Amino acid sequence: MYRYRYRCTVCRTTSPVVPDTEALALIGEAHRDHLHGGHFPDDEIAGRIDRLGRWYAALPPLTALHAHLTDGLSDLRDPKGMGHPWWARGVAALLLVAAAALTLFLVAAVL
């Protein structure tokens, strides 16, 4: 399940987590209309977040990949929850290490 959140840096408010982009757009429009007269605040943020509440776009690539894997594994047991169980973090890290080792092995075999 995807999770989205809207953040207005001018008002320093963050919306609750919503499950789809339509609800995210409605929250953003309602906030802008009500508090900003329809104008877009500077540095406003809206987008997909991981189960820990971090925006994927703000994460470094390797951390974002780990968060995507961990979110997918965590959603197998609890699709609407927040937070990462320890087992999902461990399996995601193991998958990344295994993929890196396989890539190194294949490059070494080709050379």
Side-chain angles (χ1 to χ4, degrees):
M1 178 180 120
Y2 295 143
R3 294 158 188 82
Y4 299 92
R5 185 178 279 168
Y6 171 81
R7 170 95 174 133
C8 179
T9 55
V10 173
C11 300
R12 303 193 48 83
T13 58
T14 303
S15 74
V17 176
V18 294
D20 54 21
T21 55
E22 290 84 19
L24 180 67
L26 290 174
I27 287 175
E29 288 174 20
H31 175 81
R32 286 189 296 273
D33 290 343
H34 180 65
L35 294 174
H36 301 289
H39 297 280
F40 287 87
D42 293 339
D43 297 329
E44 138 184 288
I45 302 170
R48 189 167 167 214
I49 61 169
D50 70 350
R51 290 174 65 105
L52 297 178
R54 303 175 297 183
W55 274 275
Y56 281 116
L59 295 175
L62 188 59
T63 306
L65 180 60
H66 183 265
H68 275 291
L69 288 171
T70 307
D71 286 351
L73 291 168
S74 299
D75 285 344
L76 292 175
R77 286 204 177 166
D78 184 15
K80 295 188 180 197
M82 295 294 284
H84 292 150
W86 64 269
W87 65 268
R89 287 182 187 171
V91 171
L94 183 64
L95 286 171
L96 288 174
V97 168
L102 180 63
T103 302
L104 273 158
F105 176 74
L106 290 175
V107 167
V110 169
L111 296 177

